[in-house]
mmCIF file of all heavy atoms in Angstrom:
data_model
loop_
_atom_site.group_PDB
_atom_site.id
_atom_site.type_symbol
_atom_site.label_atom_id
_atom_site.label_comp_id
_atom_site.label_asym_id
_atom_site.label_seq_id
_atom_site.Cartn_x
_atom_site.Cartn_y
_atom_site.Cartn_z
ATOM 1 N N ALA E 851 4.463 -15.877 5.681
ATOM 2 C CA ALA E 851 3.817 -15.249 4.537
ATOM 3 C C ALA E 851 3.626 -13.764 4.807
ATOM 4 O O ALA E 851 3.590 -13.324 5.961
ATOM 5 C CB ALA E 851 2.470 -15.914 4.252
ATOM 6 N N ALA E 852 3.480 -13.003 3.736
ATOM 7 C CA ALA E 852 3.226 -11.571 3.818
ATOM 8 C C ALA E 852 2.398 -11.182 2.596
ATOM 9 O O ALA E 852 2.347 -11.925 1.606
ATOM 10 C CB ALA E 852 4.533 -10.779 3.866
ATOM 11 N N PRO E 853 1.728 -10.026 2.625
ATOM 12 C CA PRO E 853 0.856 -9.649 1.519
ATOM 13 C C PRO E 853 1.552 -9.697 0.156
ATOM 14 O O PRO E 853 2.645 -9.150 -0.015
ATOM 15 C CB PRO E 853 0.446 -8.219 1.885
ATOM 16 C CG PRO E 853 0.433 -8.239 3.376
ATOM 17 C CD PRO E 853 1.621 -9.077 3.752
ATOM 18 N N GLY E 854 0.873 -10.353 -0.797
ATOM 19 C CA GLY E 854 1.446 -10.483 -2.129
ATOM 20 C C GLY E 854 0.412 -10.509 -3.240
ATOM 21 O O GLY E 854 0.715 -10.946 -4.347
ATOM 22 N N THR E 855 -0.799 -10.069 -2.946
ATOM 23 C CA THR E 855 -1.850 -9.963 -3.950
ATOM 24 C C THR E 855 -2.395 -8.541 -3.960
ATOM 25 O O THR E 855 -2.822 -8.027 -2.924
ATOM 26 C CB THR E 855 -2.998 -10.950 -3.662
ATOM 27 O OG1 THR E 855 -2.505 -12.295 -3.738
ATOM 28 C CG2 THR E 855 -4.129 -10.778 -4.670
ATOM 29 N N ASP E 856 -2.356 -7.906 -5.111
ATOM 30 C CA ASP E 856 -2.901 -6.548 -5.266
ATOM 31 C C ASP E 856 -2.363 -5.575 -4.224
ATOM 32 O O ASP E 856 -3.119 -4.872 -3.549
ATOM 33 C CB ASP E 856 -4.429 -6.584 -5.196
ATOM 34 C CG ASP E 856 -5.039 -7.346 -6.357
ATOM 35 O OD1 ASP E 856 -4.407 -7.436 -7.419
ATOM 36 O OD2 ASP E 856 -6.168 -7.838 -6.188
ATOM 37 N N VAL E 857 -1.055 -5.557 -4.079
ATOM 38 C CA VAL E 857 -0.408 -4.612 -3.175
ATOM 39 C C VAL E 857 -0.228 -3.284 -3.918
ATOM 40 O O VAL E 857 0.420 -3.228 -4.960
ATOM 41 C CB VAL E 857 0.948 -5.151 -2.686
ATOM 42 C CG1 VAL E 857 1.682 -4.107 -1.858
ATOM 43 C CG2 VAL E 857 0.734 -6.424 -1.875
ATOM 44 N N TYR E 858 -0.808 -2.242 -3.393
ATOM 45 C CA TYR E 858 -0.747 -0.911 -4.015
ATOM 46 C C TYR E 858 0.602 -0.281 -3.665
ATOM 47 O O TYR E 858 0.939 -0.129 -2.499
ATOM 48 C CB TYR E 858 -1.894 -0.047 -3.487
ATOM 49 C CG TYR E 858 -2.490 0.909 -4.492
ATOM 50 C CD1 TYR E 858 -3.853 1.009 -4.668
ATOM 51 C CD2 TYR E 858 -1.675 1.730 -5.276
ATOM 52 C CE1 TYR E 858 -4.412 1.901 -5.584
ATOM 53 C CE2 TYR E 858 -2.217 2.605 -6.194
ATOM 54 C CZ TYR E 858 -3.585 2.691 -6.341
ATOM 55 O OH TYR E 858 -4.111 3.572 -7.248
ATOM 56 N N THR E 859 1.376 0.110 -4.672
ATOM 57 C CA THR E 859 2.732 0.569 -4.412
ATOM 58 C C THR E 859 3.187 1.545 -5.496
ATOM 59 O O THR E 859 2.425 1.932 -6.381
ATOM 60 C CB THR E 859 3.681 -0.648 -4.327
ATOM 61 O OG1 THR E 859 5.002 -0.213 -3.990
ATOM 62 C CG2 THR E 859 3.725 -1.412 -5.648
ATOM 63 N N THR E 860 4.429 1.978 -5.406
ATOM 64 C CA THR E 860 5.017 2.900 -6.371
ATOM 65 C C THR E 860 5.419 2.162 -7.647
ATOM 66 O O THR E 860 5.739 0.973 -7.624
ATOM 67 C CB THR E 860 6.260 3.579 -5.773
ATOM 68 O OG1 THR E 860 7.128 2.559 -5.218
ATOM 69 C CG2 THR E 860 5.871 4.542 -4.674
ATOM 70 N N ASN E 861 5.436 2.905 -8.761
ATOM 71 C CA ASN E 861 5.842 2.320 -10.031
ATOM 72 C C ASN E 861 6.683 3.335 -10.794
ATOM 73 O O ASN E 861 6.688 4.526 -10.460
ATOM 74 C CB ASN E 861 4.612 1.915 -10.855
ATOM 75 C CG ASN E 861 4.937 0.865 -11.907
ATOM 76 O OD1 ASN E 861 6.094 0.527 -12.141
ATOM 77 N ND2 ASN E 861 3.902 0.348 -12.558
ATOM 78 N N THR E 862 7.382 2.872 -11.806
ATOM 79 C CA THR E 862 8.200 3.767 -12.620
ATOM 80 C C THR E 862 7.316 4.745 -13.396
ATOM 81 O O THR E 862 6.116 4.547 -13.545
ATOM 82 C CB THR E 862 9.063 2.957 -13.592
ATOM 83 O OG1 THR E 862 8.229 2.027 -14.297
ATOM 84 C CG2 THR E 862 10.156 2.200 -12.858
ATOM 85 N N GLY E 863 7.938 5.808 -13.887
ATOM 86 C CA GLY E 863 7.203 6.835 -14.587
ATOM 87 C C GLY E 863 6.400 7.715 -13.649
ATOM 88 O O GLY E 863 5.384 8.295 -14.050
ATOM 89 N N ASN E 864 6.844 7.808 -12.398
ATOM 90 C CA ASN E 864 6.126 8.580 -11.372
ATOM 91 C C ASN E 864 4.686 8.100 -11.192
ATOM 92 O O ASN E 864 3.802 8.861 -10.822
ATOM 93 C CB ASN E 864 6.125 10.083 -11.692
ATOM 94 C CG ASN E 864 7.491 10.698 -11.531
ATOM 95 O OD1 ASN E 864 8.353 10.146 -10.845
ATOM 96 N ND2 ASN E 864 7.712 11.838 -12.158
ATOM 97 N N ARG E 865 4.479 6.810 -11.455
ATOM 98 C CA ARG E 865 3.133 6.248 -11.382
ATOM 99 C C ARG E 865 2.973 5.409 -10.121
ATOM 100 O O ARG E 865 3.889 5.258 -9.312
ATOM 101 C CB ARG E 865 2.863 5.378 -12.609
ATOM 102 C CG ARG E 865 2.934 6.115 -13.950
ATOM 103 C CD ARG E 865 2.855 5.105 -15.087
ATOM 104 N NE ARG E 865 3.977 4.162 -15.043
ATOM 105 C CZ ARG E 865 3.987 2.965 -15.627
ATOM 106 N NH1 ARG E 865 2.922 2.549 -16.293
ATOM 107 N NH2 ARG E 865 5.040 2.181 -15.554
ATOM 108 N N TYR E 866 1.767 4.827 -10.004
ATOM 109 C CA TYR E 866 1.471 3.885 -8.932
ATOM 110 C C TYR E 866 0.882 2.627 -9.545
ATOM 111 O O TYR E 866 0.243 2.671 -10.604
ATOM 112 C CB TYR E 866 0.478 4.489 -7.922
ATOM 113 C CG TYR E 866 1.056 5.665 -7.176
ATOM 114 C CD1 TYR E 866 0.869 6.958 -7.645
ATOM 115 C CD2 TYR E 866 1.805 5.474 -6.021
ATOM 116 C CE1 TYR E 866 1.414 8.043 -6.979
ATOM 117 C CE2 TYR E 866 2.351 6.561 -5.346
ATOM 118 C CZ TYR E 866 2.160 7.831 -5.832
ATOM 119 O OH TYR E 866 2.713 8.895 -5.163
ATOM 120 N N GLU E 867 1.103 1.517 -8.889
ATOM 121 C CA GLU E 867 0.585 0.233 -9.343
ATOM 122 C C GLU E 867 -0.360 -0.318 -8.292
ATOM 123 O O GLU E 867 0.020 -0.497 -7.133
ATOM 124 C CB GLU E 867 1.747 -0.740 -9.578
ATOM 125 C CG GLU E 867 1.325 -2.152 -9.911
ATOM 126 C CD GLU E 867 0.464 -2.219 -11.154
ATOM 127 O OE1 GLU E 867 0.880 -1.692 -12.208
ATOM 128 O OE2 GLU E 867 -0.638 -2.802 -11.061
ATOM 129 N N ARG E 868 -1.606 -0.602 -8.696
ATOM 130 C CA ARG E 868 -2.598 -1.069 -7.729
ATOM 131 C C ARG E 868 -2.635 -2.594 -7.601
ATOM 132 O O ARG E 868 -3.282 -3.117 -6.702
ATOM 133 C CB ARG E 868 -3.991 -0.562 -8.102
ATOM 134 C CG ARG E 868 -4.574 -1.138 -9.357
ATOM 135 C CD ARG E 868 -6.060 -0.797 -9.530
ATOM 136 N NE ARG E 868 -6.298 0.621 -9.602
ATOM 137 C CZ ARG E 868 -7.060 1.272 -8.726
ATOM 138 N NH1 ARG E 868 -7.620 0.620 -7.726
ATOM 139 N NH2 ARG E 868 -7.274 2.559 -8.864
ATOM 140 N N SER E 869 -1.976 -3.300 -8.481
ATOM 141 C CA SER E 869 -2.115 -4.755 -8.489
ATOM 142 C C SER E 869 -0.769 -5.470 -8.504
ATOM 143 O O SER E 869 -0.600 -6.477 -9.184
ATOM 144 C CB SER E 869 -2.970 -5.197 -9.687
ATOM 145 O OG SER E 869 -2.394 -4.750 -10.894
ATOM 146 N N PHE E 870 0.201 -4.930 -7.768
ATOM 147 C CA PHE E 870 1.490 -5.599 -7.662
ATOM 148 C C PHE E 870 1.292 -6.913 -6.914
ATOM 149 O O PHE E 870 0.866 -6.932 -5.761
ATOM 150 C CB PHE E 870 2.475 -4.707 -6.919
ATOM 151 C CG PHE E 870 3.872 -5.270 -6.791
ATOM 152 C CD1 PHE E 870 4.442 -6.021 -7.806
ATOM 153 C CD2 PHE E 870 4.634 -5.036 -5.643
ATOM 154 C CE1 PHE E 870 5.730 -6.521 -7.707
ATOM 155 C CE2 PHE E 870 5.922 -5.529 -5.527
ATOM 156 C CZ PHE E 870 6.471 -6.278 -6.550
ATOM 157 N N GLY E 871 1.578 -8.015 -7.583
ATOM 158 C CA GLY E 871 1.376 -9.319 -6.982
ATOM 159 C C GLY E 871 2.618 -10.182 -7.090
ATOM 160 O O GLY E 871 3.504 -9.928 -7.895
ATOM 161 N N GLY E 872 2.646 -11.232 -6.300
ATOM 162 C CA GLY E 872 3.773 -12.148 -6.295
ATOM 163 C C GLY E 872 4.471 -12.160 -4.953
ATOM 164 O O GLY E 872 4.289 -11.269 -4.122
ATOM 165 N N THR E 873 5.282 -13.172 -4.758
ATOM 166 C CA THR E 873 6.086 -13.193 -3.536
ATOM 167 C C THR E 873 7.104 -12.060 -3.550
ATOM 168 O O THR E 873 7.681 -11.731 -2.516
ATOM 169 C CB THR E 873 6.781 -14.553 -3.358
ATOM 170 O OG1 THR E 873 7.537 -14.862 -4.528
ATOM 171 C CG2 THR E 873 5.759 -15.660 -3.125
ATOM 172 N N SER E 874 7.301 -11.447 -4.718
ATOM 173 C CA SER E 874 8.151 -10.254 -4.805
ATOM 174 C C SER E 874 7.598 -9.125 -3.945
ATOM 175 O O SER E 874 8.350 -8.330 -3.384
ATOM 176 C CB SER E 874 8.265 -9.779 -6.253
ATOM 177 O OG SER E 874 9.111 -10.618 -6.989
ATOM 178 N N ALA E 875 6.269 -9.020 -3.866
ATOM 179 C CA ALA E 875 5.660 -7.987 -3.029
ATOM 180 C C ALA E 875 5.760 -8.344 -1.554
ATOM 181 O O ALA E 875 5.831 -7.470 -0.686
ATOM 182 C CB ALA E 875 4.198 -7.788 -3.429
ATOM 183 N N ALA E 876 5.760 -9.626 -1.256
ATOM 184 C CA ALA E 876 5.759 -10.079 0.139
ATOM 185 C C ALA E 876 7.082 -9.814 0.840
ATOM 186 O O ALA E 876 7.119 -9.369 1.990
ATOM 187 C CB ALA E 876 5.421 -11.573 0.182
ATOM 188 N N SER E 877 8.189 -10.076 0.155
ATOM 189 C CA SER E 877 9.498 -9.912 0.789
ATOM 190 C C SER E 877 9.754 -8.496 1.281
ATOM 191 O O SER E 877 10.173 -8.302 2.434
ATOM 192 C CB SER E 877 10.600 -10.348 -0.187
ATOM 193 O OG SER E 877 11.885 -10.162 0.373
ATOM 194 N N PRO E 878 9.519 -7.439 0.464
ATOM 195 C CA PRO E 878 9.756 -6.087 0.985
ATOM 196 C C PRO E 878 8.801 -5.695 2.109
ATOM 197 O O PRO E 878 9.120 -4.805 2.904
ATOM 198 C CB PRO E 878 9.585 -5.194 -0.249
ATOM 199 C CG PRO E 878 8.813 -5.996 -1.218
ATOM 200 C CD PRO E 878 9.200 -7.419 -0.973
ATOM 201 N N CYS E 879 7.637 -6.330 2.189
ATOM 202 C CA CYS E 879 6.768 -6.073 3.348
ATOM 203 C C CYS E 879 7.463 -6.510 4.629
ATOM 204 O O CYS E 879 7.403 -5.825 5.658
ATOM 205 C CB CYS E 879 5.438 -6.800 3.188
ATOM 206 S SG CYS E 879 4.311 -6.062 1.987
ATOM 207 N N VAL E 880 8.153 -7.640 4.572
ATOM 208 C CA VAL E 880 8.924 -8.102 5.725
ATOM 209 C C VAL E 880 10.096 -7.165 5.977
ATOM 210 O O VAL E 880 10.446 -6.871 7.123
ATOM 211 C CB VAL E 880 9.403 -9.552 5.515
ATOM 212 C CG1 VAL E 880 10.179 -10.050 6.727
ATOM 213 C CG2 VAL E 880 8.221 -10.474 5.231
ATOM 214 N N GLY E 881 10.705 -6.664 4.898
ATOM 215 C CA GLY E 881 11.789 -5.699 5.047
ATOM 216 C C GLY E 881 11.340 -4.434 5.733
ATOM 217 O O GLY E 881 12.043 -3.883 6.593
ATOM 218 N N GLY E 882 10.156 -3.940 5.356
ATOM 219 C CA GLY E 882 9.616 -2.753 6.012
ATOM 220 C C GLY E 882 9.371 -2.992 7.489
ATOM 221 O O GLY E 882 9.637 -2.120 8.324
ATOM 222 N N LEU E 883 8.867 -4.182 7.824
ATOM 223 C CA LEU E 883 8.661 -4.528 9.231
ATOM 224 C C LEU E 883 9.986 -4.554 9.981
ATOM 225 O O LEU E 883 10.081 -4.051 11.112
ATOM 226 C CB LEU E 883 7.963 -5.881 9.323
ATOM 227 C CG LEU E 883 7.885 -6.524 10.708
ATOM 228 C CD1 LEU E 883 7.266 -5.600 11.737
ATOM 229 C CD2 LEU E 883 7.128 -7.843 10.624
ATOM 230 N N ALA E 884 11.017 -5.121 9.381
ATOM 231 C CA ALA E 884 12.310 -5.226 10.054
ATOM 232 C C ALA E 884 12.883 -3.859 10.413
ATOM 233 O O ALA E 884 13.352 -3.639 11.535
ATOM 234 C CB ALA E 884 13.297 -6.009 9.185
ATOM 235 N N VAL E 885 12.848 -2.911 9.461
ATOM 236 C CA VAL E 885 13.414 -1.589 9.760
ATOM 237 C C VAL E 885 12.531 -0.809 10.730
ATOM 238 O O VAL E 885 13.028 0.017 11.502
ATOM 239 C CB VAL E 885 13.673 -0.779 8.472
ATOM 240 C CG1 VAL E 885 14.798 -1.415 7.665
ATOM 241 C CG2 VAL E 885 12.423 -0.631 7.624
ATOM 242 N N LEU E 886 11.235 -1.082 10.718
ATOM 243 C CA LEU E 886 10.364 -0.429 11.695
ATOM 244 C C LEU E 886 10.659 -0.943 13.097
ATOM 245 O O LEU E 886 10.674 -0.180 14.066
ATOM 246 C CB LEU E 886 8.900 -0.673 11.323
ATOM 247 C CG LEU E 886 7.870 0.214 12.020
ATOM 248 C CD1 LEU E 886 8.066 1.680 11.650
ATOM 249 C CD2 LEU E 886 6.458 -0.230 11.663
ATOM 250 N N LEU E 887 10.915 -2.241 13.211
ATOM 251 C CA LEU E 887 11.288 -2.812 14.505
ATOM 252 C C LEU E 887 12.603 -2.231 15.008
ATOM 253 O O LEU E 887 12.736 -1.868 16.177
ATOM 254 C CB LEU E 887 11.403 -4.335 14.393
ATOM 255 C CG LEU E 887 10.116 -5.135 14.539
ATOM 256 C CD1 LEU E 887 10.342 -6.588 14.123
ATOM 257 C CD2 LEU E 887 9.614 -5.075 15.974
#
C-alpha cells in the first residue's frame, strides 16, 4: 500500500489539488520511491 487519501499534488490549470484520492495516487508514490532508489 501507499498513500492514497488526500494526497496534495499538482493539478491542471497551474493549480494544486489537496484531496487527490484513490489507488491512482498510491501508484506514483511507489514510482517516486523507485526512481529515488
Side-chain angles (χ1 to χ4, degrees):
T855 297
D856 295 335
V857 174
Y858 215 132
T859 184
T860 50
N861 201 352
T862 51
N864 290 340
R865 299 172 299 159
Y866 294 93
E867 174 59 53
R868 68 169 60 241
S869 58
F870 182 36
T873 54
S874 285
S877 178
C879 286
V880 181
L883 169 54
V885 292
L886 195 63
L887 276 168

